[in-house]
Amino acid sequence: MSIRDSQREMYERLYKEHGKDARALLHADRESQHERFLMLTRCFDHETEPFSVHVIGCSFGHLGDYIGQGWPHARYSGSDICPPFIEECRRRFPDGDFFLRDVSTELPEDRYDYVVLCGTFNIPQDSDRDEWQRFVYSMIEAMYGMCRKAIGVTFLTTYVDPGRERPDLYYQDEKHLLDFVARRLSRHFVLDSEGPLYEYTIRVYRPEYVW
């Protein structure tokens, strides 16, 4: 089974179990979900004029709600591989554009100021770890290709306290990630691990946009 099919099957199963709750998206609760959103939206927390945000893995639009509260002038859109998620976003955000697609397989022509992703890379399931790493990098490259200004992505940190590491989770090596970003995308990046979770966010800015 491909990574895309495996991920789609997992999220559709969780949707049947938990409905539209944050747990269907593998967040422990709404509080931890919002902590991730806080770190991710630092990409554009300086924006005062209208701008566009595209969410990879838009799911039920929870991040869209968060963006709408803090940045009502933002234009929100998204992509997902699960049909029920896209249907829900189209219903809840009729002014936005939502696509059923995997952007890592073919780079879309549409472009946005910011492209962000939250939590998708944490659960590889039965995927080979090397194959999963290639998937991670291909998705980040696609996101960077879709953005005009910057991308933001969340990861689990490798700096986990003894006894807390789980074999079913994917902890992205920070050094390898930074080497990939600096050599393949842009030397203008921020690795942010300020929050209370055992996670970090990387924000990568296009050189022409560094202010």
Side-chain angles (χ1 to χ4, degrees):
M1 183 181 295
S2 68
I3 287 178
R4 179 178 59 187
D5 290 343
S6 177
Q7 290 287 296
R8 181 173 57 239
E9 183 180 272
M10 177 183 69
Y11 282 110
E12 289 183 347
R13 183 181 69 251
L14 290 167
Y15 173 51
K16 291 179 181 178
E17 292 176 8
H18 301 291
K20 299 170 186 175
D21 188 83
R23 291 173 297 171
L25 308 173
L26 298 171
H27 300 285
D29 48 46
R30 195 168 184 81
E31 288 71 27
S32 61
Q33 182 186 43
H34 279 203
E35 180 62 36
R36 295 179 181 96
F37 291 171
L38 172 65
M39 295 177 67
L40 201 56
T41 53
R42 287 175 182 165
C43 260
F44 46 78
D45 62 3
H46 60 285
E47 293 280 8
T48 58
E49 299 296 326
F51 63 97
S52 57
V53 184
H54 192 78
V55 179
I56 304 298
C58 54
S59 59
F60 308 120
H62 293 169
L63 181 51
D65 292 329
Y66 187 90
I67 292 171
Q69 293 172 6
W71 299 268
H73 50 291
R75 297 185 299 278
Y76 167 66
S77 62
S79 297
D80 209 294
I81 59 173
C82 295
F85 294 174
I86 292 299
E87 292 170 8
E88 178 68 9
C89 281
R90 287 172 177 170
R91 183 187 68 80
R92 298 189 58 234
F93 303 93
D95 293 332
D97 295 319
F98 297 94
F99 305 90
L100 183 65
R101 63 186 179 185
D102 176 0
V103 303
S104 69
T105 59
E106 183 177 353
L107 185 66
E109 294 183 0
D110 38 307
R111 297 292 180 266
Y112 308 90
D113 293 323
Y114 301 94
V115 181
V116 298
L117 177 153
C118 183
T120 298
F121 300 138
N122 297 350
I123 308 285
Q125 300 190 91
D126 296 329
S127 298
D128 174 81
R129 289 304 193 265
D130 290 337
E131 182 185 9
W132 188 257
Q133 182 70 92
R134 290 192 292 271
F135 165 66
V136 170
Y137 286 165
S138 67
M139 184 67 77
I140 294 174
E141 277 194 300
M143 293 173 62
Y144 190 75
M146 293 174 66
C147 84
R148 298 188 191 98
K149 295 183 178 181
I151 66 171
V153 186
T154 66
F155 291 99
L156 296 176
T157 181
T158 60
Y159 299 104
V160 183
D161 291 343
R164 296 187 65 96
E165 190 168 352
R166 285 170 41 185
D168 60 320
L169 299 181
Y170 185 75
Y171 301 88
Q172 174 61 56
D173 185 285
E174 289 86 348
K175 300 181 183 68
H176 291 172
L177 177 64
L178 293 183
D179 187 63
F180 171 81
V181 166
R183 295 181 184 278
R184 297 287 294 272
L185 305 181
S186 170
R187 66 181 179 85
H188 304 285
F189 58 81
V190 175
L191 192 149
D192 183 357
S193 60
E194 182 182 13
L197 304 176
Y198 288 86
E199 303 181 16
Y200 64 94
T201 298
I202 188 164
R203 303 189 294 274
V204 186
Y205 297 88
R206 285 194 168 275
E208 59 269 29
Y209 177 64
V210 176
W211 67 91

